[in-house]
Amino acid sequence: MIAALSLGLFVGIVLGVVGGGGSIIAVPALVYGVGMSPAEAIPTSLLVVGISSLAALIPRLREGINWPVVLIVGAAGIPAAWGGAAVGRLLDPNILMLVFAVIMVIAGGRMLLRTTETEGSCSTGPNRAFRSCAPKAVGVGALVGFLTGLLGVGGGFLLTPALTLFLGLRMKQAVGSSLAIIVINSAAGFGAHAAGFTLDWPSVLSFAIPAILGSLVAARLARHLSDKHIRISFAVLIFAVAAWVTAGTVTA
């Protein structure tokens, strides 16, 4: 119970600050910290992260959310999440966790390589071009949605880099838009995994309540952080969790 409370708080803080990354901590935390199996941790993570992301989104509504991108990416991700969940049932859990770690390292490396911000076709600035934005947004949504279903993640650790690197959103707008998409993806992924699954409500609540409170507080504090600091912190976090997941899988 103590592990669930403390890890849930940490997940919420991460979601509130960087607009993602909650699931890359939640799944390993539930498996290695709380003692759930991957099959139990995945739907539990999706439920908790989805609710926490909704809570973290509320303080960011004033900063502006790119709703056209949110709707396109979210809609493309729903069927892809169901497909990813179907594939995930066929794979060994240890293989899934190692795939998880590899993708995290790639995403973290891409965030560190980003040195300048340029507004792209999906931004709300003068370079906006919806016709060229829509296909890219659909592609990002399908890829992230598939990984959401496959790995049981909300997709934020991929969404934030994808929204900035490929769709040209500014970091702070990408964080808020990422949270909105995570809510959609988490709901779709939870629906795909929850069939015939019974939640362990004491564990879920002890993990979810501090996560929600942490995300609300952290989202307000994150307004005072620069985009560069958020990006670097996100990358360092991803590398640390990737190392944790790899070590836990190899020694299992």
Side-chain angles (χ1 to χ4, degrees):
M1 187 67 70
I2 294 175
L5 289 168
S6 58
L7 291 170
L9 179 63
F10 186 51
V11 167
I13 290 172
V14 171
L15 276 169
V17 172
V18 301
S23 290
I24 67 173
I25 301 171
V27 173
L30 290 169
V31 172
Y32 303 117
V34 181
M36 292 185 179
S37 68
E40 295 170 325
I42 285 174
T44 301
S45 166
L46 288 167
L47 177 64
V48 172
V49 169
I51 296 173
S52 301
S53 298
L54 182 60
L57 176 64
I58 295 172
R60 293 185 177 274
L61 290 175
R62 295 179 181 178
E63 298 177 3
I65 308 296
N66 194 320
W67 289 111
V69 169
V70 168
L71 294 176
I72 294 173
V73 173
I78 292 174
W82 284 82
V87 173
R89 295 188 185 101
L90 305 176
L91 299 178
D92 182 88
N94 287 330
I95 294 177
L96 283 179
M97 298 306 285
L98 288 175
V99 170
F100 208 170
V102 170
I103 293 174
M104 281 189 281
V105 171
I106 294 172
R110 290 292 294 174
M111 290 299 284
L112 285 179
L113 288 174
R114 179 140 176 107
T115 56
T116 59
E117 286 193 341
T118 57
E119 290 192 348
S121 57
C122 293
S123 71
T124 54
N127 295 326
R128 182 177 183 179
F130 186 77
R131 183 174 296 180
S132 60
C133 165
K136 292 188 292 184
V138 169
V140 167
L143 174 61
V144 174
F146 180 82
L147 293 173
T148 294
L150 178 67
L151 302 173
V153 298
F157 77 104
L158 290 174
L159 275 170
T160 303
L163 293 175
T164 56
L165 295 169
F166 302 127
L167 302 188
L169 273 63
R170 293 287 183 179
M171 187 67 188
K172 287 187 177 179
Q173 188 179 71
V175 168
S177 300
S178 172
L179 287 167
I181 297 168
I182 291 170
V183 174
I184 298 172
N185 280 353
S186 295
F190 180 77
H193 281 279
F197 175 77
T198 302
L199 290 171
D200 180 4
W201 283 108
S203 296
V204 170
L205 292 175
S206 62
F207 196 82
I209 292 173
I212 293 169
L213 295 176
S215 65
L216 281 169
V217 174
R220 295 185 182 278
L221 295 177
R223 296 177 183 176
H224 304 291
L225 299 177
S226 69
D227 289 351
K228 179 181 178 181
H229 291 156
I230 293 174
R231 179 168 48 81
I232 294 175
S233 300
F234 197 6
V236 170
L237 171 69
I238 288 176
F239 290 143
V241 178
W244 180 29
V245 170
T246 302
T249 303
V250 172
T251 57

